């Protein structure tokens, strides 16, 4: 991380990721569509919906910022949203696109606390329907829109948003360079691109992450260096980078602990095979995090204002 000496780089907190029900073999360049389809199929499933909503953090199914090891997952999940919003000047940046929005917890936070209008783009209609229900219940449907779609092919016009926001979603993409380019396209000049992602360490070879990559149906993860390089190619300027990698293991450990604590209940809801496979997968994430092979943090880029 020496190349980022000019940027704020801190270590604070946690991680999110997801586990697949089925193992898979090697992926190829042609599997970009396959990865998107697999992600949609997985998150639309009843087992995944119930598990992530009940265990992973409720409305916030991403890695959070933990103040202590036993802190509730949902509280840590809200804290990262608050911290990310503090990085942005949301007194002027009011139109936000949330890529991979899940249940929309981040979007509702931005709408409630900052008066932003947020468009949620998400593949899973199961999650989208929960998102819409929450928005109506809280009378926020005039500020939060929900659209079905992929962040590899964003269905909005160029120069449409002040902020592109995402939390722990890009790991599911087979073409992350395209995701970065799409974010640049839809941002207005002067707009901000802020996200977290579960990544590999810059010096980690892909072949050391076999069990993890098999579970996300892809052959690689991004890295801090990858996103810096691709964003620079797209035309972005780096504004801020915070490395919270040490919290990734804390998050996966908390999810594993909660799954074990509520084992009988979640087995009844999701089935023993699903939960046992989930626990095995969570162990892979914890082990990879403890060994320093994974990274996680906040990155914020700016699209230069038009000259």
């Amino acid at each position: 991380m020496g190349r980022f000496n000019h940027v704020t780089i801190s270590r604070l907190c946690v991680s999110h990721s997801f586990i697949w029900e089925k193992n898979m073999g090697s992926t190829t360049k042609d599997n970009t569509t396959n990865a998107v389809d697999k992600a949609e199929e997985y998150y639309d499933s009843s087992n995944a919906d119930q598990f992530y909503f009940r265990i992973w953090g409720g409305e916030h199914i991403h890695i959070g910022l933990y103040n202590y090891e036993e802190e509730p997952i949902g509280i840590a999940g809200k804290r990262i949203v608050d911290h990310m919003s503090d990085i942005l000047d949301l007194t002027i940046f009011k139109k936000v696109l949330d890529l991979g929005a899940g249940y929309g917890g981040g979007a509702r936070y931005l709408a409630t606390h900052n008066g932003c209008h947020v468009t949620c783009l998400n593949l899973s209609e199961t999650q989208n329907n929960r998102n819409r229900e929450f928005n109506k219940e809280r009378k926020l449907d005039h500020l939060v829109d929900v659209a079905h779609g992929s962040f590899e092919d964003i269905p909005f016009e160029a120069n449409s948003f002040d902020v592109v926001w995402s939390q722990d979603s890009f790991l599911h993409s087979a073409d992350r360079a395209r995701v970065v380019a799409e974010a640049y396209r839809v941002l207005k000049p002067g707009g901000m691109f802020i996200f977290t992602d579960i990544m590999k360490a810059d010096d980690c070879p892909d072949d050391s992450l076999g069990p993890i990559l098999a579970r996300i149906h892809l052959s690689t993860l991004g890295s801090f260096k990858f996103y810096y390089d691709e964003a620079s190619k797209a035309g972005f300027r780096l504004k801020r980078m915070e490395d919270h990698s040490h919290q990734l293991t804390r998050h996966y450990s908390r999810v594993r602990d909660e799954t074990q604590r509520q084992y009988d209940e979640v087995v009844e809801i999701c089935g023993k095979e699903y939960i046992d496979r989930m626990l095995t997968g969570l162990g892979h994430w914890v082990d990879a995090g403890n060994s320093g092979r994974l990274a996680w943090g906040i990155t914020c880029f700016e699209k230069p204002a038009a000259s």
Side-chain angles (χ1 to χ4, degrees), residues 83-97:
H83 181 56
M84 289 172 67
S85 68
D86 283 347
I87 293 172
L88 305 170
D89 185 353
L90 293 175
T91 62
I92 57 173
F93 294 138
K94 290 296 187 181
K95 192 172 182 183
V96 180
L97 174 63

Side-chain angles (χ1 to χ4, degrees), residues 102-164:
Y103 298 125
R108 281 184 292 280
Y109 180 96
L110 295 174
T112 301
H113 292 271
N114 303 102
C116 296
H117 184 281
V118 187
T119 298
C120 297
L121 183 67
N122 196 57
L123 274 177
S124 169
E125 273 299 278
T126 299
Q127 293 180 345
N128 289 343
N129 287 333
R130 278 192 188 268
N131 191 351
R132 294 181 184 108
E133 289 171 5
F134 285 135
N135 296 336
K136 289 180 182 178
E137 288 173 4
R138 296 172 199 183
K139 303 187 186 311
L140 290 172
D141 46 337
H142 65 296
L143 288 176
V144 182
D145 299 327
V146 183
H148 177 271
S150 168
F151 41 59
E152 293 177 356
D153 189 15
I154 297 174
F156 301 111
E157 295 181 358
N159 307 319
S160 295
F161 297 93
D162 300 313
V163 174
V164 173

Side-chain angles (χ1 to χ4, degrees), residues 136-259:
K136 289 180 182 178
E137 288 173 4
R138 296 172 199 183
K139 303 187 186 311
L140 290 172
D141 46 337
H142 65 296
L143 288 176
V144 182
D145 299 327
V146 183
H148 177 271
S150 168
F151 41 59
E152 293 177 356
D153 189 15
I154 297 174
F156 301 111
E157 295 181 358
N159 307 319
S160 295
F161 297 93
D162 300 313
V163 174
V164 173
W165 170 292
S166 184
Q167 293 181 265
D168 304 338
S169 294
F170 298 157
L171 76 156
H172 303 312
S173 173
D175 192 352
R176 298 179 191 99
R178 182 173 176 179
V179 175
V180 173
E182 279 286 272
Y184 188 91
R185 180 182 67 81
V186 299
L187 270 175
K188 299 175 183 177
M192 306 297 285
F193 178 32
I194 188 168
F195 63 93
T196 62
D197 196 29
I198 298 165
M199 305 169 287
K200 65 179 182 178
D202 285 337
D203 58 355
C204 176
D206 292 321
D207 58 12
S208 70
L209 296 172
I212 286 173
L213 293 172
R215 288 179 180 275
I216 60 172
H217 292 244
L218 289 171
S219 58
T220 187
L221 289 175
S223 65
F224 280 116
K225 181 180 184 301
F226 169 85
Y227 285 117
Y228 177 83
D229 290 345
E230 292 302 323
S232 297
K233 291 177 189 176
F236 281 113
R237 291 194 297 237
L238 180 63
K239 297 294 290 184
R240 187 180 182 105
M241 186 171 283
E242 297 183 4
D243 183 351
H244 302 305
S245 298
H246 69 294
Q247 291 290 347
L248 184 147
T249 17
R250 179 173 289 181
H251 177 78
Y252 281 103
S253 295
R254 287 291 295 115
V255 173
R256 183 174 61 179
D257 291 347
E258 282 300 305
T259 304

